Amino acid sequence: MTIAIDIEKYLALGLRDQWYPVLASWEVGANPVGITRLGENIVLWRDGDGVVHALEDRCPHRGARLSLGWNLGDRVACWYHGVEVGHDGTVVDVPAVSDCPLKGSDCVKAYAVKEMHDAIFVWFGVDVQAPAADLNLPDQLCDAEWSSFLCMADWKVNHQYAIDNVMDPMHGTYLHCTSHSMAEGERTAEMKHRATPHGFVFEKEGQTGVNFDWVEYGQTGAAWLRLSIPYRKQFGPGGEFWIVGFATPIDEHNTRVFFWRCRKVSGWQRNVWRFLYRNHLEKLHWDVLEQDRIILENLAPNARQHEFLYQHDVGLARLRRMMKKEAEKQLKKIQALQDAQDSSRIRMQDISHA
């Protein structure tokens, strides 16, 4: 059996074999929560110890949404007929029927989950039987010397456009020229890229620490983007603030963006910055984010098919090639898994007819 999947359609829903942030921690409480990410319907809930679990949001009985049901700790119960599904995807009980053959079956997809830095990450693997990779995030999130706030927004645009936007430092001088942090710097620049251990940096030549002058793409179990922007003195202790960002596909037309706003500050300066952020800076950052959203949600239809890229676009073009190459690799893996399943099915049929 041949799986005919267009690479562009595959990329439109996001690469697999990596972790994605899907929700803020505060969004999952006592009740099951249903979401769509990478085109997949998922239910998340917390057990009695506060640990988050995730399953395909589908009751194996009649297909009702498990997210509409009850949280029973280590399992969720379907609202429709009470079927109970454990956090590993196994049907634990069918209370309406004695000795139901559905009980004990492993028929609902389970997802690996990690909760870190105020967000819930889910592993989207090509092979559901394979273990999830390690998840390592930038120092700005992991190092105790740093302090951060998580900012999220849902944009009505494919996630690839959101990634392109961050991979484009030159737009800061124009789109964000009236912002509190990106009003300075040259409006003309030559761009270059350089390799890093986990990806690459795309940056302006001869200008650093003035505007949105560089961006880094990294892949360390999750695909992230990192950049820094200078603060004016009136907005705190001075220096730079950093952004670590992710673009998580909801479906082919919608994206949830996650941006951690980070400062390397300690002592009284940390307290001052956190106070200023919540009371003043956060609104300024939202204003900048809204400028990005408005531009992206109003791009011409099928904008990527009618582009004329130039030197400032070398970084996003490089990343597009990397993503396409990875998509081709993953599609081959999907085909191999399907071929193996078909061969196993044929062998079982031969044995049953022998």
Side-chain angles (χ1 to χ4, degrees):
M1 176 181 177
T2 300
I3 301 175
I5 303 178
D6 182 83
I7 288 177
E8 294 304 321
K9 289 183 178 179
Y10 184 77
L11 282 170
L13 285 174
L15 290 168
R16 268 57 176 178
D17 279 352
Q18 62 187 40
W19 293 90
Y20 285 89
V22 297
L23 289 169
S25 292
W26 59 262
E27 293 181 282
V28 181
N31 296 320
V33 177
I35 62 172
T36 301
R37 298 291 185 267
L38 279 68
E40 301 181 20
N41 296 317
I42 304 170
V43 56
L44 301 98
W45 77 99
R46 293 185 186 274
D47 63 22
D49 296 321
V51 177
V52 180
H53 302 284
L55 292 174
E56 175 186 0
D57 194 6
R58 176 188 62 85
C59 178
H61 173 218
R62 295 272 296 281
R65 298 288 192 192
L66 292 171
S67 56
L68 297 175
W70 300 286
N71 177 355
L72 300 182
D74 66 342
R75 66 190 75 175
V76 284
C78 180
W79 189 22
Y80 205 6
H81 297 94
V83 174
E84 299 176 11
V85 184
H87 63 80
D88 62 352
T90 301
V91 176
V92 178
D93 196 13
V94 184
V97 182
S98 299
D99 300 322
C100 179
L102 182 59
K103 184 176 180 179
S105 61
D106 181 8
C107 50
V108 177
K109 180 180 178 180
Y111 296 81
V113 178
K114 288 182 181 290
E115 186 170 9
M116 355 175 23
H117 316 302
D118 301 320
I120 296 167
F121 289 77
V122 168
W123 171 258
F124 291 83
V126 169
D127 184 354
V128 296
Q129 304 299 325
D134 292 337
L135 174 58
N136 299 295
L137 297 176
D139 290 344
Q140 286 72 24
L141 298 183
C142 300
D143 195 316
E145 293 184 357
W146 289 81
S147 182
S148 64
F149 289 96
L150 171 60
C151 169
M152 299 182 307
D154 289 346
W155 289 351
K156 296 177 181 178
V157 66
N158 185 270
H159 76 286
Q160 295 173 99
Y161 289 106
I163 293 171
D164 287 347
N165 183 65
V166 182
M167 283 303 306
D168 171 24
M170 202 63 213
H171 86 264
T173 310
Y174 292 89
L175 180 62
H176 306 309
C177 64
T178 59
S179 78
H180 69 289
S181 56
M182 285 181 273
E184 308 298 331
E186 297 295 330
R187 297 172 70 87
T188 302
E190 293 295 317
M191 311 295 294
K192 64 179 181 179
H193 64 80
R194 54 184 171 85
T196 66
H198 305 294
F200 68 95
V201 168
F202 186 55
E203 59 192 342
K204 296 178 181 178
E205 289 189 345
Q207 179 176 301
T208 303
V210 178
N211 198 310
F212 172 19
D213 298 325
W214 63 276
V215 61
E216 178 183 5
Y217 167 79
Q219 171 56 261
T220 55
W224 45 263
L225 297 162
R226 176 168 58 177
L227 57 101
S228 69
I229 301 173
Y231 262 132
R232 295 181 185 178
K233 289 290 185 180
Q234 64 263 40
F235 298 120
E240 296 176 317
F241 78 94
W242 291 60
I243 298 173
V244 177
F246 297 80
T248 299
I250 296 174
D251 54 34
E252 63 269 33
H253 303 298
N254 297 276
T255 300
R256 173 164 284 201
V257 293
F258 294 77
F259 292 109
W260 276 265
R261 314 283 185 166
C262 313
R263 293 295 308 274
K264 191 173 186 179
V265 283
S266 59
W268 68 268
Q269 289 188 331
R270 176 183 294 230
N271 296 331
V272 167
W273 177 68
R274 295 188 69 84
F275 176 83
L276 283 173
Y277 184 90
R278 283 302 190 203
N279 289 278
H280 183 57
L281 295 173
E282 189 169 29
K283 180 185 181 301
L284 298 177
H285 290 167
W286 271 110
D287 290 343
V288 172
L289 204 59
E290 272 295 282
Q291 293 167 350
D292 289 318
R293 182 191 65 79
I294 291 168
I295 282 290
L296 295 178
E297 289 188 353
N298 289 281
L299 290 172
N302 302 312
R304 275 186 164 213
Q305 299 176 21
H306 306 283
E307 294 174 326
F308 190 101
L309 301 181
Y310 53 85
Q311 202 270 340
H312 293 165
D313 305 309
V314 171
L316 65 87
R318 178 182 176 86
L319 184 52
R320 287 180 185 181
R321 290 193 298 271
M322 291 171 61
M323 294 176 70
K324 183 177 180 180
K325 185 176 180 180
E326 179 61 23
E328 292 171 345
K329 176 182 174 182
Q330 292 184 12
L331 286 171
K332 289 179 181 179
K333 186 175 179 180
I334 291 171
Q335 182 65 65
L337 289 168
Q338 184 63 60
D339 290 344
Q341 291 174 2
D342 291 344
S343 297
S344 177
R345 190 177 301 112
I346 291 171
R347 286 197 300 272
M348 292 303 294
Q349 290 174 348
D350 291 342
I351 291 173
S352 64
H353 291 124

